[in-house]
Each structure stands twice: as C-alpha cells, then as structure tokens.
Amino acid sequence: MKVDLHMHTKERSGCAVHSAEDMIQAARDAGLDGMVISDHDRLVARGELMRLRERYAPFRLFTGIEVSTVEGEHVLVLGLPDQRLESKAWSYARLHAFVRAAGAFLILAHPYRFQDLVIDVEGLPPDAVELRSGNIRDELRPRIRALIERIGCATVYCSDAHHVDRVGYGFIELDKPVVTDQELLEVLKAGAFHLPPASD
Ligand SMILES: [Zn+2]
Ligand SMILES: [Zn+2]
C-alpha cells in the first residue's frame, strides 16, 4: 500500500496551488493508495476529512499537519487530530513531548533546508526523518543520511507536493493495508514499511 505522508492543499496552505480534491485525484493517478494532507499549521477539519474519506474511498486519507516550530524547523505530526497543534507556538521539545504522550508519530521534514539544526534531535529523536522529498536538494542527502544513522530513526520518502505535478515524487510502501489513523500509526511505529527504489 503506497502512501504519501506529506503534501499540501490550497485550502489551508497559501503556498500550495491545487485543491485537496485535485491532489487526491493526482495521487490516485500516480498509483498511490492513500495520503496525508499535511498543511502548514492547519489540520483538515474533522467534517471535511470525513467527507473526503467517504467520497474517495477506497483511497485512504489520514490525519496530519506540518508544524512550524519556534526554532524554525518543520515537523510532521501524524495521527493526532488535536487543534492545539495549530498554535504556531510549539518548541520542538514541547511538541515532541506532546506527540509522545499522545502516541502519535513525528517526522522531521526536510532537515537543513533553511538552516543548520538548532533543535535537539539527538536527545529527542523524531520517529523518522525525510531523506527524500520535493523540498530536499540532492546535495543535502549525504548529510541527512548521516543524521539518520546518528540518531537511529526510520527514513521516509514524501512528495511535499504543493502542485499536482509533484504528487508521486516520494512515498512509502506499507507492508500491510491500513484504513484508520490508528492502524497507520501501528504500522509506522512497528517500522512495517519500506522505501521504493530511488534514483540516487
Ligand atoms: Zn516544510
Ligand atoms: Zn511541506
């Protein structure tokens, strides 16, 4: 089951070009089975997510958000539909504790994109780090790979698509099909997924 854990829609991300429905359509065309709409500091409202889930089933939609921490890092939080995540006041340490307490999943998005890391990812490791996405320059990959080895977390590929043309650029393949957020969390936490072959 192919899932993109990181993409944006124009309804909630000012920098995104296409609607959720367009992005879902593009994901289905690209052969994906599910995705996380992870807009900047905005969750998809519960009713809207339910509507999209019903309309596009069996395509799967999961809960997610890309939180901008006060230190300037972007962190994906999956499986936690809590509006407090939208506050834009999260330090990485507080966010990490909050996500851990809730049993959700935390991914460091595109490290080194904006700056050297100023957050304590070694003391507070994320569950996974993006090694490949539309916002990761090729030359950063060796550095990110070294970071992942150092902290010993999982690696994910995502699209970070802001445009339908980018959908399908990065995804992971789950070892078994999932339907609910909870099932996705269980598979991710168990590491029961693999990465598609990449050209690099
Ligand atoms: Zn980002
Ligand atoms: Zn993003």
Side-chain angles (χ1 to χ4, degrees):
M1 178 174 178
K2 296 178 181 174
V3 180
D4 184 357
L5 302 174
H6 182 184
M7 46 81 58
H8 297 272
T9 63
K10 74 174 182 188
E11 286 90 336
R12 285 158 297 272
S13 292
C15 48
V17 178
H18 291 110
S19 68
E21 304 218 351
D22 288 343
M23 296 300 269
I24 292 167
Q25 198 58 56
R28 295 202 305 190
D29 291 347
L32 300 181
D33 305 294
M35 70 187 199
V36 180
I37 298 173
S38 53
D39 283 313
H40 296 287
D41 305 297
R42 293 277 306 278
L43 288 157
V44 181
R46 188 180 148 76
E48 174 65 0
L49 193 61
M50 282 171 60
R51 186 186 73 77
L52 291 170
R53 279 173 171 162
E54 269 175 33
R55 168 145 193 213
Y56 291 98
F59 187 85
R60 305 294 179 203
L61 291 155
F62 304 102
T63 302
I65 185 170
E66 182 169 19
V67 175
S68 312
T69 73
V70 293
E71 299 92 348
E73 288 300 329
H74 287 181
V75 178
L76 300 168
V77 177
L78 307 186
L80 184 50
D82 187 318
Q83 286 185 323
R84 284 175 287 181
L85 291 169
E86 299 179 329
S87 77
K88 298 188 184 176
W90 291 97
S91 67
Y92 177 73
R94 279 185 56 237
L95 182 65
H96 189 277
F98 186 68
V99 172
R100 279 280 173 282
F105 200 79
L106 186 143
I107 301 172
L108 179 61
H110 49 65
Y112 309 122
R113 177 184 177 194
F114 306 118
Q115 59 185 6
D116 283 341
L117 287 181
V118 293
I119 58 174
D120 182 15
V121 286
E122 284 162 38
L124 301 169
D127 297 300
V129 172
E130 267 187 356
L131 176 61
R132 182 180 175 83
S133 84
N135 277 314
I136 293 175
R137 301 192 306 279
D138 290 349
E139 64 268 26
L140 287 177
R141 220 161 276 138
R143 212 173 155 199
I144 299 172
R145 218 176 251 123
L147 171 73
I148 291 169
E149 262 172 41
R150 206 159 64 239
I151 62 182
C153 69
T155 302
V156 293
Y157 294 166
C158 306
S159 75
D160 199 358
H162 290 65
H163 189 288
V164 289
D165 288 354
R166 260 309 196 200
V167 173
Y169 175 79
F171 56 89
I172 62 170
E173 297 197 44
L174 308 183
D175 294 344
K176 64 173 187 181
V178 300
V179 176
T180 65
D181 283 340
Q182 200 52 45
E183 288 170 352
L184 176 66
L185 287 176
E186 283 165 18
V187 164
L188 292 176
K189 287 195 223 168
F193 62 89
H194 55 280
L195 304 172
S199 48
D200 58 316

